[in-house]
Structure formats: structure tokens, C-alpha cells
Amino acid sequence: MSGLLDNLYMILVIMAVHTTSSLFHNYFKGRFAEYALFDLRERTAKHIGKLSMPCIDKHHSGELISSLTNDIMVVQNFLQNNLGNILVEPMLFIISLFYLCSISWNLTLFSVSIAPILMFLVIKMSKPIERLTGEQQEFLSEVNTTAQDSISGLDVVKSFNLENTMEEKFSYRVDRAVSRGLEIALTQAILNPIGTIMGMSPFILTFLYGGYLVINGAFSFGNLISFIQVLNYVVNPLTSFPRLLSTLRSAVSALSRIFEIWELELEREDGNVFPRREDVPVISFKDVSFSYNTSGEVVSGLNLEVKNGETIGIVGPSGSGKSTIVKLILGFYNPTKGDIYLYGERLMDWKLDSARSLISLVSQDTYLFPESIYNNIAFGKKNATRDEVINASRLAGIHEFIESLPQGYDTFVGERGVRLSGGERQRIAIARAFLKDTPILILDEPTSSLDADSEKRIQESLEKLMAGRTTIVIAHRLSTVMMSDRIIVMNQGKIIDVGTHSELLERDSLYRQLYMNQINESKQEDVRR
Ligand SMILES: Nc1ncnc2c1ncn2[C@@H]1O[C@H](COP(=O)(O)OP(=O)(O)O)[C@@H](O)[C@H]1O
Ligand SMILES: [Mg+2]
């Protein structure tokens, strides 16, 4: 009788552990995992948002996005479904093993004698699945990258008619991922029954030897029943642990990829805010050289002073380093040699966001966020009022157009919203700049993606924007820079000439050559019309 009570007692203990473990498990599944994942996702996204430009150049954006989605999903799956088991199963295993030994150590020894073989076979069997799953993960992340590429490079894809090429690339990768998925299913279909039979073998052995002991009166039937009941907790971990360990391994490697992102170089956040002195050049370059990588200087030995209120034009063939100068002024990159000064202080000593808050940029292609037109303009200034936003749109000459849309300023821009023409997008960028209202304005080929008519109409708004500001204007069409106080002519990263429009035309210069070419081009265009 006391034996029976002992058994009952032990089984109760084990059931208690089991119940606690599933409570634990559900707790992980619910609160802990959710919080941890929220943190993980937020921190990773934040970090990606603050990466330095050189770092973004080095890492594929698709690769970063894939970490943000795939890797976090792997960790999520582990935290929610496996971590509880990994913590609890060994505990149950040990308690149960002790209990079995206490009932009958020789039956225990006999029952688990094939455990090492079992473990070995399970590990062997999980190898192909693990390999296939690893490959599938890799292929899936390639699918992500390709999708990312085709979306962010949509213009290029379209303009070069690469849709079919991209689609082939994409479907090839999807096919590969799917075929691995099918292989996994097939392998599992074959291995699972084998696994089940293997998992049953300790029970069969126990029944045989235990039954023999019962028949001989060496063991009670009740004992045998509780023995087999508890044997479950010893055998199950043996078969499930290798799989759990492999989920642990992939979660660890996913986490380490996420942590690698956390290690990536961020933009600096230190620096000072300096006053806007009027007695020094607004921007000056002192012997500035720069290269993106080891493949040679893109800007070399640049010296330039931009005085307060001055308008500087920069012209030069494409690839001559004009946009790079803009990126240097905005502190996206640091010069490899020399220094840039803003209001007489080294840009390196400025707090980057303070420096940037003094500069408005209107560039060739304006990125609009998938949000309302209102928000897209309001990004120009923190806490802008509705009146300020509308006023900026009026100055940019886009207010009437926005009002004419059915939903006015609330019209959604982007994939599922309105499609705006190049001119309308640029006007939104100009409205943003009006709203930001900075002392420095940089125009990097703001009209180069527009046709001649839209260009002429936008020119007027741009001139209004330039009034009273120190401006650097980069232009492909020389008509845009003709009025500048000084024009800088760049070639292969160097300033090769400086002067006003008329001074430069008098010389037999690259400028005159560019100018003549454009006059001929526009004549030809007029003839074609
Ligand atoms: N992020 C980058 N990484 C490496 N090279 C770059 C990068 N951006 C531009 N370049 C290279 O730097 C040179 C100058 O480019 P850019 O300043 O954009 O010229 P521009 O604006 O005069 O057309 C080009 O050869 C270009 O290929
Ligand atoms: Mg450029």
C-alpha cells in the first residue's frame, strides 16, 4: 500500500513539474517573448535608422531589412515555442530518471540502454533537415534582398526594361526556396515514422523485461504501469532535444546577426552648436580631398569660400564630384584630407543635426514618404502649424494644385496614393525648403529630371526660395546657374575654373564648350518641335 502511495506521490510531483513548465512556457510565449521581441525589433530598426553613410554603402539595404524581418522571426519562433522546453525538459528528465532508478535501477538501465544509440540516430537523422532548413533560410533572405532591390530600384528597373530580368531572378530564387521546402517535407515524411518507431523501442524493451519481472513476481504490475508512465519524460527529451538544440543554434546565429547590426558604425552624435557669425564665410573648404573607398579620390585639393548671401553655381560633367561636395557639406561623409568649415568652425566640431538644421537641400529626385501630402511638406519643420504649411505651399506654387485634389492636403502619396509628376514632386520639395526656412540652400540639379517647360515654371519658385539665402546651385543646364555670383567649373574632382558667366564665356574654357553644346542641343530640340 505504501508503495502505491509512493508511486502516486512521485507521479503527482512529476505532474506538478509538468504543469509548472507549461505555465512557464505560456508565460514565455505571451509576455516575455513579446516584450523581448518588441525591444529587439525597435532597437534594431532605430540603429539602422542612425547608421553612418559609409556603413550603409558597405551593407546592402536588403541585407539589413532581412535581418530586421527574417532573423527576428527566427528568434521569435525560438522564444515563443522552444525556450520553455529547453529549460524544462532537462529538469523533468533528471527528476524522472531518479524516480525510475528508485523503482528499479536495473529495469531503468535496461530500458534506457539503447538511449545512446537512439540519440545518435536522431542526431544523424536531423542533420539533413537542419542542412535543408539552413539553405532554405539563406534562399529566403536572398528572395527578400531581390524584392527589396526591385522595389527601391524601381525607376532603374523600369527605365532599363529590366522587369523580366528581375522577375526571372526573383522567381528563380523563390523556386529554390520552395524546392528546399518540398525537400524538407519529403525528408520529414520519411524520417518521422522511423523516428516514431525508434521512440517506441525503449517502451517495447520495458514491456518485455518488465513483464518478465512481473510474471516472476519480482515487480508489481502497478509499479510497471507508473514506470512506463514516467519513462515518457525520459525518452521524449532524448528524441526532441536534438531538434531543440538545432532551433537554439539557429536562434543564436540569427541573434548574432542582429547584434552585428548593433555593432555597426553610427553617425556621431557629439559636437557643439555654434553661432552664425557674419564676419566669416558661411561655408569654406580648405584643401579638401575625399574618396568613397580605396579606388581613388573623387574630390581632390578643393579650396572654396562661400560668403554670406552669395550664390555659387557649380557645373561640370556628370561624375565630376558635384553631388559629393553636397554630401560632404551635409556631413554624410568626412573628408579624407583637409577640413570643411561652417560659419568659421570645423564641421567636425559641429553637432551634425544642428549643422543640418541650417541647410535645406532640394535634389534631383525628391523622395516622398508614403504619407499625406501635408505630412510630406510638414517634415520640413518640427511642429509646423497648418498655416505655415499652407503658406509654404503657396510660395512653392503648389497650393492650388493640392487644393484641387479630392482629398486636398490629406491626399496620400505613393504606391496606393496619387502619382505626382516630377514637377509636382519638386514643388513639394521646394515647399518643404520654404517651411524649413534655413540660411543655407543647396540645389543639386533640382530641375534635371523635368522637361524644359516645367523647368521654366519651377525656376521662378526656386528664385523666390533663393532670395536672401546663401545658395549653392548645381545645375546640368547652364541657364540655371548663369545668374550666380560666381560659377565653379569642376572636372574629375578638381576645380578647374572660377568666374562669372561672362568671364568664363570669354575664355576658351570647358565652360564655353559646355555652353556651346547646350545651345546646339536646344536649337536641335526647337527644330524637332
Ligand atoms: N556612395 C558612393 N560610393 C562610391 N562611389 C560613389 C558614391 N557616390 C558617388 N560615387 C562616385 O563618385 C564620383 C562622383 O560622383 P558625384 O559626386 O555623384 O558626381 P556628380 O554629382 O558630379 O555627377 C562618381 O565617379 C561616382 O561614381
Ligand atoms: Mg550629382
PDB file of all heavy atoms in Angstrom, residues 55 177 281 285 377-378:
ATOM      1  N   CYS A  55      28.708  53.282 -43.840  1.00  0.00           N
ATOM      2  CA  CYS A  55      28.258  51.971 -43.399  1.00  0.00           C
ATOM      3  C   CYS A  55      27.103  51.471 -44.267  1.00  0.00           C
ATOM      4  O   CYS A  55      27.044  50.302 -44.643  1.00  0.00           O
ATOM      5  CB  CYS A  55      27.820  52.098 -41.949  1.00  0.00           C
ATOM      6  SG  CYS A  55      27.714  50.564 -41.144  1.00  0.00           S
ATOM      7  N   ALA A 177      13.932  28.378 -52.975  1.00  0.00           N
ATOM      8  CA  ALA A 177      13.468  28.318 -51.584  1.00  0.00           C
ATOM      9  C   ALA A 177      12.328  27.314 -51.456  1.00  0.00           C
ATOM     10  O   ALA A 177      12.296  26.513 -50.515  1.00  0.00           O
ATOM     11  CB  ALA A 177      13.017  29.697 -51.113  1.00  0.00           C
ATOM     12  N   PRO A 281      33.249  83.349 -43.815  1.00  0.00           N
ATOM     13  CA  PRO A 281      32.500  82.675 -44.879  1.00  0.00           C
ATOM     14  C   PRO A 281      31.492  81.691 -44.264  1.00  0.00           C
ATOM     15  O   PRO A 281      31.760  81.111 -43.215  1.00  0.00           O
ATOM     16  CB  PRO A 281      33.569  81.920 -45.661  1.00  0.00           C
ATOM     17  CG  PRO A 281      34.862  82.551 -45.293  1.00  0.00           C
ATOM     18  CD  PRO A 281      34.700  83.113 -43.924  1.00  0.00           C
ATOM     19  N   PHE A 285      35.851  75.365 -47.794  1.00  0.00           N
ATOM     20  CA  PHE A 285      36.600  74.123 -47.982  1.00  0.00           C
ATOM     21  C   PHE A 285      38.066  74.486 -47.949  1.00  0.00           C
ATOM     22  O   PHE A 285      38.495  75.369 -48.681  1.00  0.00           O
ATOM     23  CB  PHE A 285      36.291  73.514 -49.356  1.00  0.00           C
ATOM     24  CG  PHE A 285      34.995  72.750 -49.414  1.00  0.00           C
ATOM     25  CD1 PHE A 285      33.785  73.404 -49.304  1.00  0.00           C
ATOM     26  CD2 PHE A 285      34.992  71.362 -49.599  1.00  0.00           C
ATOM     27  CE1 PHE A 285      32.588  72.708 -49.369  1.00  0.00           C
ATOM     28  CE2 PHE A 285      33.811  70.658 -49.663  1.00  0.00           C
ATOM     29  CZ  PHE A 285      32.599  71.329 -49.550  1.00  0.00           C
ATOM     30  N   ILE A 377       5.137  67.707 -46.612  1.00  0.00           N
ATOM     31  CA  ILE A 377       5.655  69.080 -46.552  1.00  0.00           C
ATOM     32  C   ILE A 377       6.070  69.401 -45.114  1.00  0.00           C
ATOM     33  O   ILE A 377       7.134  69.949 -44.869  1.00  0.00           O
ATOM     34  CB  ILE A 377       4.598  70.089 -47.053  1.00  0.00           C
ATOM     35  CG1 ILE A 377       4.308  69.800 -48.532  1.00  0.00           C
ATOM     36  CG2 ILE A 377       5.106  71.522 -46.886  1.00  0.00           C
ATOM     37  CD1 ILE A 377       3.152  70.585 -49.092  1.00  0.00           C
ATOM     38  N   ALA A 378       5.231  68.990 -44.159  1.00  0.00           N
ATOM     39  CA  ALA A 378       5.466  69.333 -42.757  1.00  0.00           C
ATOM     40  C   ALA A 378       6.769  68.729 -42.211  1.00  0.00           C
ATOM     41  O   ALA A 378       7.281  69.199 -41.194  1.00  0.00           O
ATOM     42  CB  ALA A 378       4.281  68.904 -41.898  1.00  0.00           C
TER      43      ALA A 378
END
